[in-house]
Amino acid sequence: MSPTNHLQRVAIVGILTPAQATGRMGGYFAEALLKTGKHTVTALQRADGSKGALPSGILTAPVDYDDPNQESLTAALTGQQILIITLSVRAPPDLQSRIIHAAVKAGVKWIMPNGWGVDVFHATLRAEEPYFEAIARACEEVEALGANYIAMVCGFWYEWSLACGEPWFGFDIKGRKATFFDAGETKIGSSTWVQCARALAALLSLPEEGAEVSLQRWKNRALYVSSFRMSQREMLDSLHRVMGTSDQDWTITRQPSGERREEGREEVRKGIETGIPKTLYSRVFFPNGDGDYEDKQGVANQVLGLPEEDMDEATRRAVEIVESGWTPFGSAPLPKMSGKPRNSS
């Protein structure tokens, strides 16, 4: 196979119209792929869903996810070379499996399952948290069915997690309150949405095989990328630089990460939705370094030609999201983010 033979036909589950939610991950992926000029992008959309306009250049394929015969899904995916799945945490638990089966039936060779976060191949994290286990099982399902998966491990999304509120990264920006897990010095990996999109576009611009660096390098493996390797202390310092504040302007408390995780689990049992991020985020911040995948596995940033990002610029975007009045539980669309690399104009 020629080294210039990259994957061209890309299908994405989860590209939403501006009226539904501007700035979701699928949209960033589509924009970055189209910008290369090397790919066609097809959005799989519910046949009975919104008819709002998608960004220019994106093809659409109506599907019925509830069809037990998967006829529309299989038809929409026929001829596609790779499927990217981005689903809401509120999606039905079996939806991804149904999509994967339809993709394999349609002959899709490569699948990037829904995950986008923690290193689910870390044995301890996988064993302790059902959510992480479910992501790993989806990857294994792809391989068992005869297709290839690539799992993007990018850490928790930075601007999203910082803007969402205290149950996530521990920060209430509007109220100027911070909860440090343990001492607040544990480092983890985290990425911006735009960096994830750059990584995907660079990955799919590589030859499928036959070159020193090709898609085969990540066949049935994790692709590790990141924007920042940082601690909560460093996040707060960045907030200070962006907002012109100091520790004296914030209420700072500390909570053992293990205690916080148990608190989150109890909230989940009571049906409190924010118990989920409280559980998952506090676990990744355990001081044993389980969430520091960059230190343990390394990242593909340099191989993929990803730029170094400015943490303060990303923090500024999170502050702007909060100031816009957006909340993770509201209906307002998320403000668009540019993800400007460091020292760019």
Side-chain angles (χ1 to χ4, degrees):
M1 180 176 290
S2 168
T4 60
N5 195 350
H6 59 273
L7 302 185
Q8 299 177 41
R9 299 182 299 279
V10 185
I12 301 180
V13 173
I15 303 178
L16 303 180
T17 69
Q20 290 171 310
T22 299
R24 292 285 179 86
M25 192 68 250
Y28 282 104
F29 281 159
E31 183 179 338
L33 288 166
L34 291 174
K35 191 177 293 184
T36 68
K38 298 178 179 180
H39 312 280
T40 60
V41 178
T42 300
L44 274 60
Q45 291 191 301
R46 285 190 178 274
D48 59 352
S50 170
K51 303 302 180 183
L54 289 168
S56 176
I58 299 176
L59 307 175
T60 60
V63 297
D64 179 4
Y65 290 117
D66 300 320
D67 176 11
N69 298 317
Q70 302 177 333
E71 291 181 359
S72 63
L73 258 177
T74 303
L77 290 167
T78 298
Q80 299 295 332
Q81 294 173 295
I82 184 168
L83 170 65
I84 312 298
I85 304 175
T86 68
L87 293 172
S88 164
V89 294
R90 297 180 177 87
D94 67 334
L95 179 56
Q96 175 159 239
S97 180
R98 286 186 274 130
I99 294 171
I100 289 170
H101 276 78
V104 175
K105 184 178 179 181
V108 178
K109 185 177 179 181
W110 296 87
I111 299 175
M112 186 170 281
N114 193 57
W116 326 112
V118 173
D119 183 5
V120 297
F121 302 103
H122 187 291
T124 305
L125 291 176
R126 175 177 179 174
E128 290 185 9
E129 297 297 340
Y131 177 76
F132 302 153
E133 168 67 16
I135 298 171
R137 283 202 311 269
C139 295
E140 293 168 352
E141 182 176 34
V142 171
E143 187 175 9
L145 290 171
N148 306 315
Y149 73 81
I150 298 177
M152 184 182 291
V153 175
C154 54
F156 294 124
W157 292 322
Y158 182 73
E159 300 104 326
W160 161 273
S161 301
L162 190 57
C164 272
E166 198 274 344
W168 281 260
F169 271 161
F171 295 93
D172 173 2
I173 293 175
K174 185 176 181 180
R176 295 191 180 181
K177 297 177 183 178
T179 302
F180 280 171
F181 314 151
D182 304 307
E185 299 288 351
T186 300
K187 290 182 181 290
I188 68 164
S190 180
S191 298
T192 65
W193 274 338
V194 174
Q195 188 80 322
C196 293
R198 292 189 192 109
L200 180 68
L203 177 74
L204 298 191
S205 295
L206 295 173
E208 187 175 5
E209 59 184 28
E212 182 179 355
V213 181
S214 71
L215 214 59
Q216 292 291 325
R217 175 180 292 198
W218 293 280
K219 176 182 175 181
N220 297 326
R221 297 181 59 190
L223 170 68
Y224 295 93
V225 297
S226 74
S227 295
F228 315 113
R229 176 176 178 260
M230 79 295 171
S231 66
Q232 288 180 290
R233 177 67 260 179
E234 289 168 309
M235 283 187 259
L236 183 56
D237 289 342
S238 182
L239 282 164
H240 288 337
R241 291 190 293 271
V242 168
M243 299 173 68
T245 59
S246 67
D247 279 4
Q248 287 67 38
D249 301 308
W250 287 64
T251 300
I252 302 173
T253 59
R254 290 171 172 78
Q255 182 178 22
S257 52
E259 175 187 288
R260 184 177 174 87
R261 179 175 69 162
E262 292 309 311
E263 184 179 282
R265 286 177 166 176
E266 181 60 27
E267 290 180 4
V268 171
R269 286 190 286 269
K270 293 178 178 178
I272 301 173
E273 198 168 19
T274 52
I276 298 173
K278 184 178 286 188
T279 299
L280 301 182
Y281 280 66
S282 57
R283 176 59 187 89
V284 171
F285 274 101
F286 271 23
N288 62 8
D290 283 347
D292 190 2
Y293 63 84
E294 185 170 350
D295 179 63
K296 292 178 170 58
Q297 302 291 345
V299 291
N301 289 34
Q302 185 172 357
V303 173
L304 295 178
L306 302 183
E308 183 179 355
E309 292 181 285
D310 188 316
M311 186 173 175
D312 287 356
E313 283 298 318
T315 299
R316 190 182 311 280
R317 293 193 294 272
V319 172
E320 290 171 355
I321 290 171
V322 173
E323 291 176 343
S324 76
W326 177 88
T327 73
F329 304 111
S331 59
L334 188 68
K336 184 69 174 176
M337 294 178 284
S338 63
K340 188 168 59 176
R342 176 174 289 183
N343 296 328
S344 68
S345 58

